[in-house]
Amino acid sequence: MRALTGFWLTTPHPELAIRPGETETIPLTLRNSNLPPQRASLEVSGIPDGWKWSVKGGNREIGAVIVPPNAAEEVKLELTPAPAASGASVPIDVKARYGNETADLPLIVKLSDTSSAGLELKPELPGLRGTASSTFSFKVELTNKGAEENLINLAANVPEGFQTRFKRGYGSEEITGLPIEAGASEDVTLEVTPPRSAPAGRYPVLVEAAGGGANASAELSIEVTGQPEVALTGPQERLSGEAVAGEEASFPFTLANSGSAPATNIELSATPPSGWKAEVEPKRIDMLAPNATSQVNVKITPSERAIAGDYMVPVRASGGSLSESAQFRVTVNTSTMWGAAGLGVIAAAVLVLGMAVMRYGRR
């Protein structure tokens, strides 16, 4: 299948209702698929006299946008009809000129009576910041400005792989909508959970409400910060090894950072059983980049009196909020010298017993 190639200017709702004198924010998305970076100049036509409008990006008025290959840029068109505006509908045209081409987006704005239904979404905080393992909770006030009670349906537009759910107030039950009386407001909570593999960056979240012939939307954003994730593996990716009582044994460990941010100031240590010795080299790693590994040598000397068997030696890596521990099993074998000495003692005892039998057995 051939990859889709082109440049588009889109919006979720090309037909919408606005009350005269009130400002409506219309989200616009410029998407570049498999083309070189495109500089798109934005033009808006069809705005009636007395209306106010502006195109904004990052809360600033803009006239052009550069869209990298296989990426999308979000901007918004703010429209404020004149307080005395009238008419059934107003056609407005938004164009994005890139190179010798033009992406055209026709809009239809219907002027709603001040007594007709209306919705308003007011987020407490428009942006939140956290790691990829965080759950981002937005508190949003939803107001029914209509003259009748309506069932308001809720939806959230998030990047692929992100999970969302709505709750009423600070409750625990998930909802998809709720009834709101005329002129009343309700608090809803939108929870957004990014995938654990989400790279660091800013991600747009569009929350939408619709019901009773009216709709409203609010633009939110979450900033995912990088997070280190370290893991310790033993020799040949095993967490076991053998040692001889009283003799030093060396075990090569690997410390890996599979996270999206560097791991810094990592302290390394090992906790052996009583009477044993353990040493880790190096004892400290200043920085381990994402997707990087570092070799760590763990030297363990069992006690000379250690009985043959299995013993656990925890090996730890910690620094800041990081804490990783690997339980390393050491199988202790007794020294061959002590085995030979034991055989010598047994042989001597047998020899003495034999000589005694030969000497006294003749009597």
Side-chain angles (χ1 to χ4, degrees):
M1 181 182 294
R2 293 184 58 187
L4 191 62
T5 301
F7 190 89
W8 296 273
L9 172 62
T10 61
T11 186
H13 307 290
E15 293 190 18
L16 69 160
I18 307 179
R19 292 184 181 183
E22 295 188 1
T23 300
E24 180 73 18
T25 299
I26 303 173
L28 304 176
T29 301
L30 295 102
R31 188 176 303 276
N32 179 359
S33 179
N34 297 312
L35 292 177
Q38 299 293 319
R39 183 185 189 278
S41 298
L42 300 173
E43 300 177 4
V44 181
S45 59
I47 304 291
D49 292 338
W51 289 35
K52 296 179 180 179
W53 67 276
S54 63
V55 178
K56 292 186 176 181
N59 295 322
R60 293 180 297 180
E61 292 193 15
I62 60 172
V65 179
I66 292 181
V67 187
N70 298 316
E73 292 293 336
E74 304 288 339
V75 298
K76 54 189 177 182
L77 170 63
E78 291 187 354
L79 275 179
T80 307
S86 60
S89 61
V90 177
I92 294 175
D93 193 55
V94 183
K95 288 183 171 62
R97 300 188 185 275
Y98 61 102
N100 296 323
E101 303 290 336
T102 300
D104 187 66
L105 176 62
L107 303 174
I108 298 295
V109 175
K110 298 179 180 180
L111 296 173
S112 60
D113 190 0
T114 56
S115 61
S116 64
L119 294 175
E120 185 178 29
L121 283 171
K122 286 186 178 180
E124 185 177 66
L125 294 172
L128 297 175
R129 183 182 184 186
T131 64
S133 60
S134 303
T135 296
F136 299 84
S137 296
F138 293 94
K139 181 182 177 183
V140 182
E141 183 184 58
L142 177 58
T143 302
N144 177 11
K145 293 186 174 181
E148 297 179 356
E149 178 180 358
N150 286 307
L151 175 63
I152 310 301
N153 295 310
L154 302 168
N157 188 1
V158 294
E160 184 178 356
F162 285 60
Q163 301 294 323
T164 64
R165 64 175 181 174
F166 287 95
K167 296 179 180 180
R168 189 169 190 166
Y170 292 101
S172 58
E173 293 185 358
E174 184 175 354
I175 62 172
T176 58
L178 73 167
I180 303 180
E181 295 181 357
S185 299
E186 289 278 356
D187 288 334
V188 295
T189 299
L190 169 62
E191 292 184 352
V192 182
T193 304
R196 295 293 295 268
S197 58
R202 188 178 295 276
Y203 297 88
V205 176
L206 180 66
V207 58
E208 299 174 303
N215 58 67
S217 63
E219 291 183 342
L220 310 172
S221 69
I222 61 175
E223 183 179 353
V224 175
T225 58
Q227 182 181 20
E229 293 186 14
V230 298
L232 277 166
T233 56
Q236 299 177 349
E237 298 186 354
R238 297 180 302 170
L239 289 175
S240 63
E242 296 184 355
V244 176
E247 298 182 10
E248 181 182 270
S250 182
F251 303 100
F253 275 67
T254 300
L255 181 66
N257 178 12
S258 60
S260 56
T264 58
N265 301 324
I266 308 171
E267 301 286 343
L268 299 157
S269 63
T271 306
S274 178
W276 290 36
K277 295 180 181 178
E279 183 180 355
V280 180
E281 295 179 353
K283 294 181 174 62
R284 177 188 175 93
I285 297 177
D286 293 331
M287 186 188 74
L288 187 62
N291 301 316
T293 60
S294 180
Q295 298 302 310
V296 179
N297 194 31
V298 180
K299 298 179 180 179
I300 299 175
T301 305
S303 170
E304 294 182 354
R305 299 180 180 180
I307 302 173
D310 293 339
Y311 298 80
M312 300 306 295
V313 178
V315 181
R316 294 185 178 85
S318 59
S321 60
L322 289 175
S323 181
E324 172 68 10
S325 178
Q327 297 294 325
F328 188 65
R329 188 182 74 237
V330 179
T331 301
V332 174
N333 300 314
T334 55
S335 172
T336 54
M337 178 184 69
W338 288 107
L343 291 175
V345 171
I346 294 173
V350 171
L351 180 60
V352 170
L353 180 59
M355 293 177 62
V357 170
M358 291 176 61
R359 179 175 181 180
Y360 297 104
R362 297 175 182 176
R363 296 184 180 180

